[in-house]
Amino acid sequence: MEVLKIATAGSVDDGKSTLIGRLLYDTKSLTDDKLEAIERNSKKKGYDYLDFSLATDGLVAEREQGITIDVAHIYFSTKKKSYIIADTPGHVEYTRNMVTGASQAQASIILIDARKGVIEQTYRHFFINNLLRVKHVIVAVNKMDLVDYDQQVFENIKADFEKLNAQSSYDDQQITFIPISALKGDNVAKETNVMSWYDGVSVLDYLEELQPEQDELTAARFPVQTVIRPKKDEFHDYRGYAGKIYGSSLKVGDAVTVLPSLTSSKIKTIEFFNEQYDEAIAGSSVSITLEDDINVTRGDVLVKSDEVPQSSKTLKAAVCWMDGKALVPGAKYEIQHNSNRILAKIDSIESIIATDYSGEDTSKNQLTLNEIGKVNFKLSKNLFFDNYADNKAGGSFILIDTQSNTTAGVGFIG
């Protein structure tokens, strides 16, 4: 069954968790004990309705404060599709969590409180979706029940958001506006009759029909995660390379180049357990053997010989900083690019990017927690890479603090 990965974003109390809880409830995805717990806790709090946010807030602090702190992944299915929702925090101090949650999303839902309209946090959420090239964005104007389902309120918010969208450079992004009440269930899993002026679909109907791109048009990339050398006589000469295919498909007979050695061969077999295939599509985790006995190790990348990416010892990237220790020029980190690690030195911090589309600040020379900036790197050796806009897998990386071994930041090349 097809799987769709979604991220949610919204400011505090915009209703992200309630929306997801309502989706789970209306699609009968809540277990009996979970539903009983929601009913029990809702009564305990004195509510005359079911508090669906309790279905997603996993941390004690989240339940106590009524906010989302960490990224929670929620799974549910309908007859048509399976879904993985990354419920990301709305607070500015959890921007890093939102970037993490949205990084794998094929679609995003940005919630706006109908009473508040487009606010600063909306700018930030939209900016991150632009940065991560999330093509399909649903702007869900929530709590329409609290504004008497007023069409003009919805139209005003839609107009304000379209002004924001006019500042975006991501022309291919597709934005859909849906007025909803997550609490009442209006236009969430089914259409409502209380907003007769709206002739569009519900959130779930939109997701059910959404056909996300499969990255067919991007170059194939196969980062080698491990080399398979069975210790059995019958496989004495076997040498396979296991990993996941990104971008587009690979076929038996394709001429491939190994990065960074630039040695070449052809694909001899594509295997998954005991089965062999003539072709494997993007997203497939397979093992590949080559016709020639050339040196390939973990961290190398197989690419089609006519699709070799650019190579350089310098790099410019937009970096979302995730560490309490500021990023400063001269600092050294390891860049993990796919399964390859390379030592990098911070050459300069070009600017801090304002996520409200107000511009860039070039006066600062450090990047602090949750800030996003343009950073220039010097690398210890050549790195083969893509621009993130062209190829997400080949154009992204994480920065690792070599002292603490923690993930300090995430970068998007280009």
Side-chain angles (χ1 to χ4, degrees):
M1 180 181 287
E2 183 183 359
V3 178
L4 183 67
K5 291 176 281 190
I6 311 163
T8 59
S11 192
V12 179
D13 291 334
D14 279 352
K16 298 185 302 298
S17 297
T18 302
L19 170 65
I20 296 170
R22 169 60 74 173
L23 275 171
L24 297 177
Y25 178 76
D26 285 351
T27 56
K28 304 187 187 307
S29 302
L30 289 172
T31 59
D32 289 343
D33 59 338
K34 190 75 175 181
L35 184 55
E36 288 173 5
I38 291 172
E39 292 172 343
R40 184 171 59 252
N41 283 292
S42 297
K43 288 180 181 176
K44 187 178 178 182
K45 290 183 176 181
Y47 298 158
D48 59 357
Y49 55 84
L50 296 179
D51 183 3
F52 291 118
S53 67
L54 297 170
T56 59
D57 291 338
L59 300 177
V60 171
E62 290 178 325
R63 292 194 293 270
E64 289 177 347
Q65 298 178 48
I67 62 173
T68 301
I69 295 174
D70 203 355
V71 178
H73 288 90
I74 297 103
Y75 306 83
F76 75 100
S77 298
T78 62
K79 292 180 179 178
K80 289 185 176 181
K81 204 175 286 185
S82 291
Y83 298 90
I84 303 174
I85 302 179
D87 183 20
T88 66
H91 285 215
V92 61
E93 60 264 38
Y94 299 122
T95 296
R96 53 183 169 168
N97 303 64
M98 187 188 167
V99 171
T100 303
S103 62
Q104 299 298 315
Q106 298 164 299
S108 182
I109 303 173
I110 297 178
L111 279 98
I112 296 176
D113 188 326
R115 299 168 302 173
K116 300 175 183 175
V118 174
I119 60 175
E120 182 180 352
Q121 276 297 80
T122 311
Y123 296 170
R124 178 178 294 268
H125 300 149
F126 186 55
F127 176 87
I128 291 174
N129 276 283
N130 282 182
L131 177 69
L132 298 178
R133 289 295 193 264
V134 179
K135 185 168 183 176
H136 305 279
V137 174
I138 300 172
V139 178
V141 181
N142 191 24
K143 305 190 181 184
M144 288 298 296
D145 55 308
L146 298 183
V147 294
D148 296 326
Y149 300 105
D150 189 338
Q151 180 181 4
Q152 195 56 52
V153 171
F154 173 73
E155 296 296 342
N156 290 342
I157 292 173
K158 183 178 176 182
D160 288 343
F161 197 96
E162 286 176 337
K163 290 178 185 174
L164 178 61
N165 184 37
Q167 301 180 61
S168 167
S169 60
Y170 185 18
D171 296 333
D172 290 338
Q173 198 164 46
Q174 297 178 3
I175 301 174
T176 301
F177 297 89
I178 303 178
I180 69 169
S181 168
L183 186 65
K184 304 289 186 182
D186 299 315
N187 288 338
V188 177
K190 51 191 175 185
E191 296 170 17
T192 181
N193 57 8
V194 297
M195 287 181 275
S196 56
W197 46 265
Y198 173 72
D199 58 2
V201 297
S202 69
V203 172
L204 184 61
D205 285 341
Y206 177 86
L207 297 174
E208 292 276 73
E209 299 302 322
L210 180 61
Q211 295 296 322
E213 289 65 31
Q214 300 298 319
D215 296 334
E216 297 96 335
L217 300 180
T218 61
R221 303 290 184 248
F222 185 75
V224 176
Q225 294 178 356
T226 188
V227 179
I228 302 172
R229 295 294 303 273
K231 304 297 183 184
K232 295 180 178 179
D233 286 342
E234 60 183 309
F235 296 108
H236 184 76
D237 295 323
Y238 184 91
R239 188 178 177 88
Y241 311 106
K244 182 177 179 179
I245 299 174
Y246 296 92
S248 63
S249 64
L250 288 173
K251 298 176 182 177
V252 171
D254 277 345
V256 292
T257 295
V258 182
L259 305 178
S261 67
L262 293 177
T263 51
S264 298
S265 183
K266 287 186 177 180
I267 294 177
K268 182 179 181 181
T269 63
I270 297 174
E271 303 166 353
F272 183 75
F273 287 113
N274 296 323
E275 300 291 333
Q276 291 198 5
Y277 299 89
D278 293 330
E279 181 178 8
I281 63 172
S284 304
S285 294
V286 296
S287 61
I288 288 176
T289 64
L290 301 178
E291 291 185 356
D292 303 289
D293 187 18
I294 58 177
N295 185 37
V296 181
T297 62
R298 171 181 164 78
D300 289 351
V301 181
L302 304 185
V303 301
K304 291 181 180 177
S305 295
D306 57 353
E307 295 178 342
V308 176
Q310 57 188 309
S311 168
S312 177
K313 289 185 73 174
T314 62
L315 197 65
K316 177 187 284 188
V319 172
C320 177
W321 195 239
M322 299 178 169
D323 199 354
K325 182 176 67 176
L327 180 72
V328 295
K332 294 179 180 178
Y333 292 88
E334 276 190 331
I335 281 181
Q336 175 143 356
H337 178 253
N338 294 317
S339 51
N340 181 30
R341 283 195 183 188
I342 186 170
L343 190 62
K345 180 180 177 180
I346 308 304
D347 185 39
S348 64
I349 297 173
E350 198 170 290
S351 63
I352 309 298
I353 305 172
T355 54
D356 61 357
Y357 291 93
S358 61
E360 299 179 17
D361 183 354
T362 58
S363 65
K364 297 181 179 179
N365 66 347
Q366 67 175 17
L367 198 62
T368 58
L369 180 65
N370 288 312
E371 285 187 327
I372 298 173
K374 290 182 179 177
V375 179
N376 294 307
F377 297 87
K378 287 184 176 178
L379 310 178
S380 60
K381 57 184 179 181
N382 271 19
L383 179 70
F384 289 87
F385 59 86
D386 298 288
N387 286 326
Y388 183 78
D390 301 327
N391 189 309
K392 289 186 177 182
S396 58
F397 61 84
I398 60 173
L399 279 169
I400 299 172
D401 187 317
T402 56
Q403 300 298 316
S404 63
N405 206 35
T406 57
T407 300
V410 56
F412 308 96
I413 302 170

